[in-house]
Amino acid sequence: MRYFASGLFLLSHGLLVLDHLGIGAALHGIGEVFFAPWAIKQKAWDLVFIAFLFGAFDLWGTLKLGFN
């Protein structure tokens, strides 16, 4: 799962750089969803917090872009 999330992060950041904001933000949020269980298992609470924080912002940004 961690490797899949890393691949999604790489792809999403590439899309964000190329101004594909909606798809990039959505893939980044999905990557956070796959990353959080690994971080919880490793008890890396700072990474868990960051994953949920960025996941919430990515979801909010994706929804906001979808209505414009």
Short mmCIF file of all heavy atoms in Angstrom, two decimals:
data_model
loop_
_atom_site.label_atom_id
_atom_site.label_comp_id
_atom_site.label_asym_id
_atom_site.label_seq_id
_atom_site.Cartn_x
_atom_site.Cartn_y
_atom_site.Cartn_z
N MET A 1 0.82 -1.19 0.00
CA MET A 1 0.00 0.00 0.00
C MET A 1 0.87 1.26 0.00
O MET A 1 0.52 2.23 -0.65
CB MET A 1 -0.92 0.01 1.23
CG MET A 1 -1.99 -1.02 1.19
SD MET A 1 -3.08 -0.73 -0.17
CE MET A 1 -4.59 -1.15 0.51
N ARG A 2 1.95 1.20 0.75
CA ARG A 2 2.83 2.36 0.83
C ARG A 2 3.43 2.69 -0.53
O ARG A 2 3.54 3.85 -0.91
CB ARG A 2 3.93 2.08 1.85
CG ARG A 2 4.92 3.18 2.02
CD ARG A 2 5.89 2.86 3.10
NE ARG A 2 6.54 1.58 2.85
CZ ARG A 2 7.74 1.27 3.30
NH1 ARG A 2 8.41 2.10 4.03
NH2 ARG A 2 8.27 0.09 3.03
N TYR A 3 3.79 1.67 -1.30
CA TYR A 3 4.38 1.90 -2.62
C TYR A 3 3.33 2.42 -3.60
O TYR A 3 3.63 3.27 -4.44
CB TYR A 3 5.03 0.62 -3.14
CG TYR A 3 6.15 0.14 -2.27
CD1 TYR A 3 6.05 -1.04 -1.57
CD2 TYR A 3 7.30 0.90 -2.12
CE1 TYR A 3 7.09 -1.47 -0.75
CE2 TYR A 3 8.33 0.49 -1.31
CZ TYR A 3 8.22 -0.70 -0.63
OH TYR A 3 9.24 -1.13 0.18
N PHE A 4 2.12 1.91 -3.50
CA PHE A 4 1.03 2.40 -4.34
C PHE A 4 0.75 3.86 -4.04
O PHE A 4 0.57 4.68 -4.95
CB PHE A 4 -0.22 1.54 -4.12
CG PHE A 4 -1.37 1.93 -4.99
CD1 PHE A 4 -1.33 1.70 -6.35
CD2 PHE A 4 -2.51 2.50 -4.44
CE1 PHE A 4 -2.39 2.05 -7.17
CE2 PHE A 4 -3.57 2.85 -5.24
CZ PHE A 4 -3.52 2.63 -6.61
N ALA A 5 0.73 4.22 -2.75
CA ALA A 5 0.52 5.62 -2.36
C ALA A 5 1.65 6.50 -2.88
O ALA A 5 1.41 7.60 -3.36
CB ALA A 5 0.41 5.73 -0.84
N SER A 6 2.87 6.02 -2.80
CA SER A 6 4.01 6.80 -3.31
C SER A 6 3.88 7.04 -4.81
O SER A 6 4.16 8.14 -5.30
CB SER A 6 5.32 6.09 -3.01
OG SER A 6 5.52 5.99 -1.63
N GLY A 7 3.45 6.03 -5.54
CA GLY A 7 3.23 6.20 -6.97
C GLY A 7 2.14 7.21 -7.27
O GLY A 7 2.27 8.03 -8.18
N LEU A 8 1.06 7.16 -6.48
CA LEU A 8 0.00 8.15 -6.66
C LEU A 8 0.49 9.56 -6.36
O LEU A 8 0.11 10.51 -7.03
CB LEU A 8 -1.20 7.81 -5.77
CG LEU A 8 -2.09 6.68 -6.24
CD1 LEU A 8 -3.18 6.39 -5.21
CD2 LEU A 8 -2.72 7.01 -7.58
N PHE A 9 1.35 9.70 -5.34
CA PHE A 9 1.89 11.02 -5.02
C PHE A 9 2.73 11.56 -6.16
O PHE A 9 2.63 12.73 -6.53
CB PHE A 9 2.74 10.98 -3.75
CG PHE A 9 1.95 10.76 -2.48
CD1 PHE A 9 2.48 10.04 -1.45
CD2 PHE A 9 0.68 11.28 -2.33
CE1 PHE A 9 1.77 9.82 -0.29
CE2 PHE A 9 -0.04 11.08 -1.17
CZ PHE A 9 0.51 10.34 -0.14
N LEU A 10 3.57 10.71 -6.73
CA LEU A 10 4.40 11.14 -7.85
C LEU A 10 3.55 11.56 -9.04
O LEU A 10 3.77 12.61 -9.66
CB LEU A 10 5.37 10.03 -8.26
CG LEU A 10 6.51 9.74 -7.30
CD1 LEU A 10 7.26 8.51 -7.75
CD2 LEU A 10 7.44 10.93 -7.20
N LEU A 11 2.56 10.75 -9.37
CA LEU A 11 1.68 11.08 -10.48
C LEU A 11 0.87 12.35 -10.20
O LEU A 11 0.76 13.23 -11.06
CB LEU A 11 0.73 9.90 -10.75
CG LEU A 11 -0.26 10.08 -11.88
CD1 LEU A 11 0.47 10.28 -13.21
CD2 LEU A 11 -1.18 8.88 -11.95
N SER A 12 0.34 12.46 -9.00
CA SER A 12 -0.48 13.64 -8.68
C SER A 12 0.35 14.92 -8.68
O SER A 12 -0.12 15.96 -9.16
CB SER A 12 -1.18 13.46 -7.34
OG SER A 12 -0.26 13.49 -6.26
N HIS A 13 1.57 14.87 -8.17
CA HIS A 13 2.40 16.08 -8.18
C HIS A 13 2.79 16.47 -9.60
O HIS A 13 2.85 17.66 -9.92
CB HIS A 13 3.63 15.89 -7.30
CG HIS A 13 3.29 15.85 -5.85
ND1 HIS A 13 4.08 15.23 -4.92
CD2 HIS A 13 2.23 16.34 -5.16
CE1 HIS A 13 3.53 15.35 -3.73
NE2 HIS A 13 2.41 16.01 -3.85
N GLY A 14 3.02 15.49 -10.45
CA GLY A 14 3.27 15.79 -11.86
C GLY A 14 2.08 16.47 -12.51
O GLY A 14 2.21 17.43 -13.26
N LEU A 15 0.87 15.97 -12.20
CA LEU A 15 -0.34 16.58 -12.76
C LEU A 15 -0.57 17.98 -12.20
O LEU A 15 -1.03 18.87 -12.91
CB LEU A 15 -1.55 15.68 -12.48
CG LEU A 15 -1.60 14.38 -13.26
CD1 LEU A 15 -2.70 13.48 -12.73
CD2 LEU A 15 -1.80 14.65 -14.74
N LEU A 16 -0.26 18.18 -10.92
CA LEU A 16 -0.43 19.51 -10.34
C LEU A 16 0.52 20.51 -10.98
O LEU A 16 0.14 21.66 -11.24
CB LEU A 16 -0.21 19.46 -8.82
CG LEU A 16 -1.30 18.75 -8.02
CD1 LEU A 16 -0.86 18.55 -6.58
CD2 LEU A 16 -2.60 19.50 -8.09
N VAL A 17 1.73 20.10 -11.27
CA VAL A 17 2.70 20.98 -11.92
C VAL A 17 2.23 21.34 -13.33
O VAL A 17 2.42 22.46 -13.80
CB VAL A 17 4.10 20.31 -11.95
CG1 VAL A 17 5.05 21.04 -12.88
CG2 VAL A 17 4.68 20.24 -10.55
N LEU A 18 1.56 20.38 -13.99
CA LEU A 18 1.09 20.61 -15.35
C LEU A 18 -0.30 21.28 -15.38
O LEU A 18 -0.95 21.30 -16.40
CB LEU A 18 1.04 19.28 -16.12
CG LEU A 18 2.40 18.63 -16.34
CD1 LEU A 18 2.22 17.24 -16.93
CD2 LEU A 18 3.28 19.49 -17.22
N ASP A 19 -0.75 21.80 -14.24
CA ASP A 19 -2.02 22.53 -14.10
C ASP A 19 -3.26 21.66 -14.31
O ASP A 19 -4.29 22.15 -14.75
CB ASP A 19 -2.07 23.74 -15.03
CG ASP A 19 -1.19 24.87 -14.54
OD1 ASP A 19 -0.94 24.93 -13.33
OD2 ASP A 19 -0.78 25.69 -15.37
N HIS A 20 -3.18 20.39 -14.01
CA HIS A 20 -4.36 19.53 -13.97
C HIS A 20 -4.77 19.43 -12.50
O HIS A 20 -4.60 18.39 -11.86
CB HIS A 20 -4.05 18.15 -14.55
CG HIS A 20 -3.68 18.19 -15.99
ND1 HIS A 20 -4.61 18.42 -16.98
CD2 HIS A 20 -2.50 18.04 -16.62
CE1 HIS A 20 -4.02 18.41 -18.15
NE2 HIS A 20 -2.72 18.19 -17.96
N LEU A 21 -5.30 20.53 -11.97
CA LEU A 21 -5.51 20.66 -10.54
C LEU A 21 -6.53 19.68 -9.98
O LEU A 21 -6.32 19.10 -8.92
CB LEU A 21 -5.91 22.10 -10.20
CG LEU A 21 -4.89 23.16 -10.56
CD1 LEU A 21 -5.44 24.54 -10.24
CD2 LEU A 21 -3.58 22.92 -9.85
N GLY A 22 -7.65 19.52 -10.65
CA GLY A 22 -8.69 18.63 -10.13
C GLY A 22 -8.24 17.19 -10.02
O GLY A 22 -8.38 16.55 -8.98
N ILE A 23 -7.67 16.67 -11.08
CA ILE A 23 -7.21 15.26 -11.09
C ILE A 23 -6.02 15.09 -10.15
O ILE A 23 -5.95 14.12 -9.41
CB ILE A 23 -6.84 14.83 -12.52
CG1 ILE A 23 -8.08 14.86 -13.41
CG2 ILE A 23 -6.23 13.44 -12.52
CD1 ILE A 23 -7.79 14.66 -14.87
N GLY A 24 -5.11 16.07 -10.15
CA GLY A 24 -3.94 15.98 -9.27
C GLY A 24 -4.32 15.98 -7.81
O GLY A 24 -3.80 15.19 -7.02
N ALA A 25 -5.25 16.87 -7.43
CA ALA A 25 -5.69 16.92 -6.04
C ALA A 25 -6.44 15.65 -5.65
O ALA A 25 -6.27 15.13 -4.54
CB ALA A 25 -6.57 18.15 -5.81
N ALA A 26 -7.25 15.13 -6.55
CA ALA A 26 -8.00 13.91 -6.25
C ALA A 26 -7.05 12.73 -6.06
O ALA A 26 -7.20 11.96 -5.10
CB ALA A 26 -8.98 13.61 -7.38
N LEU A 27 -6.07 12.58 -6.93
CA LEU A 27 -5.11 11.47 -6.79
C LEU A 27 -4.26 11.62 -5.53
O LEU A 27 -3.91 10.63 -4.89
CB LEU A 27 -4.22 11.37 -8.02
CG LEU A 27 -4.90 10.84 -9.28
CD1 LEU A 27 -3.91 10.86 -10.44
CD2 LEU A 27 -5.43 9.45 -9.06
N HIS A 28 -3.94 12.85 -5.17
CA HIS A 28 -3.16 13.08 -3.95
C HIS A 28 -3.98 12.67 -2.73
O HIS A 28 -3.47 12.03 -1.81
CB HIS A 28 -2.73 14.54 -3.86
CG HIS A 28 -1.70 14.79 -2.84
ND1 HIS A 28 -2.00 15.11 -1.55
CD2 HIS A 28 -0.34 14.76 -2.92
CE1 HIS A 28 -0.89 15.27 -0.87
NE2 HIS A 28 0.14 15.06 -1.67
N GLY A 29 -5.26 13.01 -2.73
CA GLY A 29 -6.14 12.61 -1.63
C GLY A 29 -6.29 11.11 -1.53
O GLY A 29 -6.29 10.54 -0.44
N ILE A 30 -6.41 10.43 -2.67
CA ILE A 30 -6.50 8.97 -2.68
C ILE A 30 -5.20 8.37 -2.16
O ILE A 30 -5.21 7.39 -1.41
CB ILE A 30 -6.85 8.46 -4.08
CG1 ILE A 30 -8.26 8.89 -4.46
CG2 ILE A 30 -6.71 6.94 -4.16
CD1 ILE A 30 -8.61 8.67 -5.91
N GLY A 31 -4.08 8.96 -2.53
CA GLY A 31 -2.79 8.50 -2.02
C GLY A 31 -2.70 8.61 -0.51
O GLY A 31 -2.16 7.72 0.16
N GLU A 32 -3.25 9.68 0.04
CA GLU A 32 -3.26 9.84 1.50
C GLU A 32 -4.09 8.76 2.17
O GLU A 32 -3.74 8.27 3.24
CB GLU A 32 -3.81 11.22 1.87
CG GLU A 32 -2.95 12.38 1.43
CD GLU A 32 -1.64 12.51 2.18
OE1 GLU A 32 -1.46 11.85 3.22
OE2 GLU A 32 -0.80 13.29 1.72
N VAL A 33 -5.19 8.36 1.54
CA VAL A 33 -6.04 7.30 2.09
C VAL A 33 -5.27 5.98 2.16
O VAL A 33 -5.40 5.23 3.13
CB VAL A 33 -7.33 7.15 1.25
CG1 VAL A 33 -8.10 5.90 1.63
CG2 VAL A 33 -8.21 8.38 1.41
N PHE A 34 -4.45 5.69 1.15
CA PHE A 34 -3.67 4.46 1.16
C PHE A 34 -2.45 4.56 2.07
O PHE A 34 -1.94 3.55 2.54
CB PHE A 34 -3.22 4.09 -0.26
CG PHE A 34 -4.31 3.53 -1.10
CD1 PHE A 34 -4.90 4.28 -2.09
CD2 PHE A 34 -4.76 2.24 -0.88
CE1 PHE A 34 -5.92 3.75 -2.86
CE2 PHE A 34 -5.77 1.70 -1.64
CZ PHE A 34 -6.35 2.47 -2.63
N PHE A 35 -1.98 5.77 2.33
CA PHE A 35 -0.79 5.97 3.15
C PHE A 35 -1.11 5.91 4.65
O PHE A 35 -0.32 5.42 5.44
CB PHE A 35 -0.16 7.31 2.79
CG PHE A 35 1.12 7.60 3.52
CD1 PHE A 35 2.26 6.91 3.21
CD2 PHE A 35 1.17 8.56 4.51
CE1 PHE A 35 3.45 7.16 3.87
CE2 PHE A 35 2.34 8.82 5.17
CZ PHE A 35 3.49 8.12 4.85
N ALA A 36 -2.29 6.39 5.02
CA ALA A 36 -2.64 6.49 6.44
C ALA A 36 -2.62 5.14 7.17
O ALA A 36 -2.10 5.07 8.30
CB ALA A 36 -3.99 7.18 6.61
N PRO A 37 -3.16 4.05 6.62
CA PRO A 37 -3.10 2.78 7.36
C PRO A 37 -1.67 2.30 7.66
O PRO A 37 -1.42 1.76 8.73
CB PRO A 37 -3.82 1.78 6.44
CG PRO A 37 -4.70 2.62 5.60
CD PRO A 37 -3.97 3.91 5.41
N TRP A 38 -0.76 2.51 6.72
CA TRP A 38 0.64 2.13 6.96
C TRP A 38 1.20 2.97 8.10
O TRP A 38 1.89 2.44 8.98
CB TRP A 38 1.47 2.34 5.69
CG TRP A 38 2.92 2.13 5.94
CD1 TRP A 38 3.59 0.94 5.96
CD2 TRP A 38 3.89 3.13 6.24
NE1 TRP A 38 4.92 1.15 6.25
CE2 TRP A 38 5.12 2.49 6.43
CE3 TRP A 38 3.83 4.51 6.37
CZ2 TRP A 38 6.28 3.19 6.74
CZ3 TRP A 38 4.98 5.20 6.68
CH2 TRP A 38 6.18 4.54 6.87
N ALA A 39 0.91 4.27 8.10
CA ALA A 39 1.42 5.15 9.15
C ALA A 39 0.84 4.78 10.51
O ALA A 39 1.54 4.83 11.52
CB ALA A 39 1.12 6.61 8.81
N ILE A 40 -0.43 4.39 10.54
CA ILE A 40 -1.04 3.97 11.80
C ILE A 40 -0.37 2.68 12.30
O ILE A 40 -0.07 2.55 13.49
CB ILE A 40 -2.56 3.77 11.63
CG1 ILE A 40 -3.24 5.13 11.41
CG2 ILE A 40 -3.17 3.05 12.83
CD1 ILE A 40 -4.69 5.03 11.00
N LYS A 41 -0.13 1.74 11.40
CA LYS A 41 0.52 0.48 11.78
C LYS A 41 1.91 0.73 12.35
O LYS A 41 2.34 0.06 13.30
CB LYS A 41 0.60 -0.43 10.56
CG LYS A 41 1.17 -1.78 10.85
CD LYS A 41 1.19 -2.64 9.60
CE LYS A 41 1.84 -3.97 9.88
NZ LYS A 41 1.93 -4.79 8.67
N GLN A 42 2.64 1.69 11.78
CA GLN A 42 3.99 2.02 12.25
C GLN A 42 3.98 2.96 13.45
O GLN A 42 5.03 3.29 13.98
CB GLN A 42 4.79 2.66 11.11
CG GLN A 42 5.00 1.77 9.92
CD GLN A 42 5.80 0.53 10.28
OE1 GLN A 42 6.77 0.60 11.02
NE2 GLN A 42 5.37 -0.61 9.75
N LYS A 43 2.80 3.41 13.86
CA LYS A 43 2.61 4.35 14.97
C LYS A 43 3.38 5.65 14.73
O LYS A 43 3.93 6.24 15.64
CB LYS A 43 2.99 3.72 16.29
CG LYS A 43 2.10 2.56 16.64
CD LYS A 43 2.41 1.99 17.99
CE LYS A 43 1.45 0.82 18.21
NZ LYS A 43 1.69 0.12 19.43
N ALA A 44 3.37 6.09 13.49
CA ALA A 44 3.98 7.36 13.12
C ALA A 44 2.86 8.41 13.14
O ALA A 44 2.28 8.76 12.13
CB ALA A 44 4.61 7.27 11.74
N TRP A 45 2.55 8.88 14.34
CA TRP A 45 1.36 9.72 14.53
C TRP A 45 1.48 11.05 13.81
O TRP A 45 0.47 11.63 13.41
CB TRP A 45 1.08 9.90 16.01
CG TRP A 45 0.87 8.59 16.68
CD1 TRP A 45 1.64 8.04 17.66
CD2 TRP A 45 -0.13 7.60 16.37
NE1 TRP A 45 1.17 6.79 18.00
CE2 TRP A 45 0.09 6.50 17.22
CE3 TRP A 45 -1.18 7.55 15.46
CZ2 TRP A 45 -0.72 5.37 17.20
CZ3 TRP A 45 -1.98 6.41 15.43
CH2 TRP A 45 -1.75 5.35 16.30
N ASP A 46 2.69 11.56 13.64
CA ASP A 46 2.84 12.80 12.89
C ASP A 46 2.45 12.60 11.43
O ASP A 46 1.78 13.44 10.83
CB ASP A 46 4.26 13.34 13.00
CG ASP A 46 5.32 12.34 12.58
OD1 ASP A 46 5.03 11.13 12.59
OD2 ASP A 46 6.44 12.76 12.26
N LEU A 47 2.81 11.45 10.86
CA LEU A 47 2.43 11.16 9.48
C LEU A 47 0.94 10.89 9.36
O LEU A 47 0.32 11.23 8.34
CB LEU A 47 3.22 9.97 8.95
CG LEU A 47 4.73 10.18 8.82
CD1 LEU A 47 5.40 8.90 8.35
CD2 LEU A 47 5.04 11.31 7.88
N VAL A 48 0.35 10.28 10.38
CA VAL A 48 -1.10 10.06 10.38
C VAL A 48 -1.82 11.40 10.35
O VAL A 48 -2.75 11.61 9.57
CB VAL A 48 -1.54 9.22 11.60
CG1 VAL A 48 -3.04 9.16 11.70
CG2 VAL A 48 -0.93 7.83 11.54
N PHE A 49 -1.38 12.31 11.20
CA PHE A 49 -2.00 13.63 11.24
C PHE A 49 -1.86 14.35 9.91
O PHE A 49 -2.82 14.91 9.38
CB PHE A 49 -1.35 14.47 12.36
CG PHE A 49 -1.85 15.88 12.40
CD1 PHE A 49 -3.12 16.17 12.86
CD2 PHE A 49 -1.05 16.92 11.94
CE1 PHE A 49 -3.59 17.47 12.88
CE2 PHE A 49 -1.51 18.22 11.96
CZ PHE A 49 -2.78 18.50 12.44
N ILE A 50 -0.67 14.31 9.33
CA ILE A 50 -0.44 14.96 8.04
C ILE A 50 -1.29 14.31 6.95
O ILE A 50 -1.87 15.00 6.10
CB ILE A 50 1.07 14.91 7.68
CG1 ILE A 50 1.85 15.83 8.61
CG2 ILE A 50 1.30 15.28 6.22
CD1 ILE A 50 3.35 15.65 8.53
N ALA A 51 -1.40 12.99 6.96
CA ALA A 51 -2.20 12.29 5.95
C ALA A 51 -3.66 12.70 6.03
O ALA A 51 -4.29 13.00 5.00
CB ALA A 51 -2.06 10.78 6.12
N PHE A 52 -4.23 12.74 7.23
CA PHE A 52 -5.62 13.14 7.36
C PHE A 52 -5.82 14.62 7.04
O PHE A 52 -6.82 15.01 6.43
CB PHE A 52 -6.16 12.81 8.75
CG PHE A 52 -6.46 11.35 8.92
CD1 PHE A 52 -5.77 10.61 9.86
CD2 PHE A 52 -7.41 10.72 8.14
CE1 PHE A 52 -6.04 9.25 10.02
CE2 PHE A 52 -7.68 9.38 8.29
CZ PHE A 52 -6.99 8.64 9.23
N LEU A 53 -4.88 15.45 7.44
CA LEU A 53 -4.98 16.89 7.15
C LEU A 53 -4.94 17.15 5.65
O LEU A 53 -5.82 17.83 5.10
CB LEU A 53 -3.84 17.63 7.85
CG LEU A 53 -3.83 19.14 7.69
CD1 LEU A 53 -5.00 19.75 8.44
CD2 LEU A 53 -2.53 19.70 8.22
N PHE A 54 -3.95 16.60 4.97
CA PHE A 54 -3.85 16.80 3.52
C PHE A 54 -4.99 16.10 2.79
O PHE A 54 -5.46 16.60 1.77
CB PHE A 54 -2.51 16.34 2.99
CG PHE A 54 -1.41 17.33 3.24
CD1 PHE A 54 -0.23 16.90 3.82
CD2 PHE A 54 -1.55 18.65 2.90
CE1 PHE A 54 0.80 17.80 4.05
CE2 PHE A 54 -0.53 19.56 3.13
CZ PHE A 54 0.64 19.12 3.71
N GLY A 55 -5.43 14.96 3.28
CA GLY A 55 -6.57 14.28 2.67
C GLY A 55 -7.81 15.14 2.72
O GLY A 55 -8.56 15.23 1.74
N ALA A 56 -8.04 15.80 3.85
CA ALA A 56 -9.21 16.69 3.97
C ALA A 56 -9.08 17.89 3.05
O ALA A 56 -10.05 18.27 2.37
CB ALA A 56 -9.35 17.15 5.43
N PHE A 57 -7.90 18.50 2.98
CA PHE A 57 -7.71 19.65 2.09
C PHE A 57 -7.82 19.25 0.62
O PHE A 57 -8.36 20.00 -0.19
CB PHE A 57 -6.36 20.33 2.34
CG PHE A 57 -6.38 21.24 3.53
CD1 PHE A 57 -5.51 21.02 4.58
CD2 PHE A 57 -7.24 22.31 3.59
CE1 PHE A 57 -5.51 21.86 5.68
CE2 PHE A 57 -7.26 23.16 4.68
CZ PHE A 57 -6.39 22.93 5.74
N ASP A 58 -7.31 18.07 0.27
CA ASP A 58 -7.42 17.60 -1.11
C ASP A 58 -8.87 17.36 -1.49
O ASP A 58 -9.30 17.71 -2.59
CB ASP A 58 -6.60 16.33 -1.34
CG ASP A 58 -5.12 16.59 -1.33
OD1 ASP A 58 -4.71 17.73 -1.61
OD2 ASP A 58 -4.36 15.65 -1.04
N LEU A 59 -9.63 16.76 -0.59
CA LEU A 59 -11.05 16.52 -0.87
C LEU A 59 -11.80 17.84 -1.02
O LEU A 59 -12.58 18.02 -1.94
CB LEU A 59 -11.66 15.68 0.25
CG LEU A 59 -13.15 15.39 0.13
CD1 LEU A 59 -13.43 14.57 -1.12
CD2 LEU A 59 -13.65 14.67 1.36
N TRP A 60 -11.53 18.77 -0.11
CA TRP A 60 -12.18 20.08 -0.17
C TRP A 60 -11.82 20.80 -1.47
O TRP A 60 -12.67 21.36 -2.14
CB TRP A 60 -11.78 20.90 1.04
CG TRP A 60 -12.32 22.29 1.04
CD1 TRP A 60 -13.62 22.67 1.10
CD2 TRP A 60 -11.55 23.49 0.95
NE1 TRP A 60 -13.70 24.04 1.07
CE2 TRP A 60 -12.46 24.56 0.97
CE3 TRP A 60 -10.19 23.75 0.85
CZ2 TRP A 60 -12.03 25.88 0.91
CZ3 TRP A 60 -9.78 25.06 0.79
CH2 TRP A 60 -10.70 26.11 0.82
N GLY A 61 -10.55 20.78 -1.83
CA GLY A 61 -10.11 21.44 -3.06
C GLY A 61 -10.69 20.79 -4.31
O GLY A 61 -11.07 21.49 -5.26
N THR A 62 -10.78 19.47 -4.30
CA THR A 62 -11.36 18.77 -5.44
C THR A 62 -12.82 19.11 -5.61
O THR A 62 -13.30 19.39 -6.71
CB THR A 62 -11.19 17.25 -5.28
OG1 THR A 62 -9.80 16.96 -5.15
CG2 THR A 62 -11.75 16.51 -6.47
N LEU A 63 -13.56 19.12 -4.51
CA LEU A 63 -14.98 19.47 -4.58
C LEU A 63 -15.18 20.91 -4.99
O LEU A 63 -16.08 21.23 -5.77
CB LEU A 63 -15.65 19.19 -3.24
CG LEU A 63 -15.77 17.72 -2.84
CD1 LEU A 63 -16.35 17.59 -1.44
CD2 LEU A 63 -16.61 16.96 -3.86
N LYS A 64 -14.34 21.80 -4.49
CA LYS A 64 -14.45 23.21 -4.82
C LYS A 64 -14.17 23.45 -6.31
O LYS A 64 -14.85 24.22 -6.97
CB LYS A 64 -13.48 24.03 -3.97
CG LYS A 64 -13.63 25.51 -4.14
CD LYS A 64 -12.73 26.25 -3.19
CE LYS A 64 -12.84 27.74 -3.46
NZ LYS A 64 -11.89 28.50 -2.69
N LEU A 65 -13.16 22.76 -6.86
CA LEU A 65 -12.85 22.89 -8.29
C LEU A 65 -13.94 22.31 -9.16
O LEU A 65 -14.18 22.78 -10.26
CB LEU A 65 -11.53 22.21 -8.61
CG LEU A 65 -10.26 22.96 -8.24
CD1 LEU A 65 -9.05 22.08 -8.46
CD2 LEU A 65 -10.13 24.24 -9.04
N GLY A 66 -14.62 21.28 -8.67
CA GLY A 66 -15.65 20.63 -9.46
C GLY A 66 -16.88 21.49 -9.68
O GLY A 66 -17.59 21.33 -10.65
N PHE A 67 -17.13 22.44 -8.78
CA PHE A 67 -18.31 23.27 -8.90
C PHE A 67 -18.04 24.58 -9.62
O PHE A 67 -18.97 25.33 -9.86
CB PHE A 67 -18.90 23.56 -7.51
CG PHE A 67 -19.43 22.33 -6.85
CD1 PHE A 67 -18.90 21.88 -5.67
CD2 PHE A 67 -20.48 21.62 -7.42
CE1 PHE A 67 -19.40 20.75 -5.06
CE2 PHE A 67 -20.97 20.48 -6.81
CZ PHE A 67 -20.43 20.04 -5.62
N ASN A 68 -16.82 24.88 -9.97
CA ASN A 68 -16.50 26.13 -10.66
C ASN A 68 -16.67 26.00 -12.15
O ASN A 68 -16.39 25.22 -12.87
CB ASN A 68 -15.08 26.58 -10.34
CG ASN A 68 -14.99 27.15 -8.95
OD1 ASN A 68 -15.99 27.58 -8.40
ND2 ASN A 68 -13.82 27.13 -8.37
#
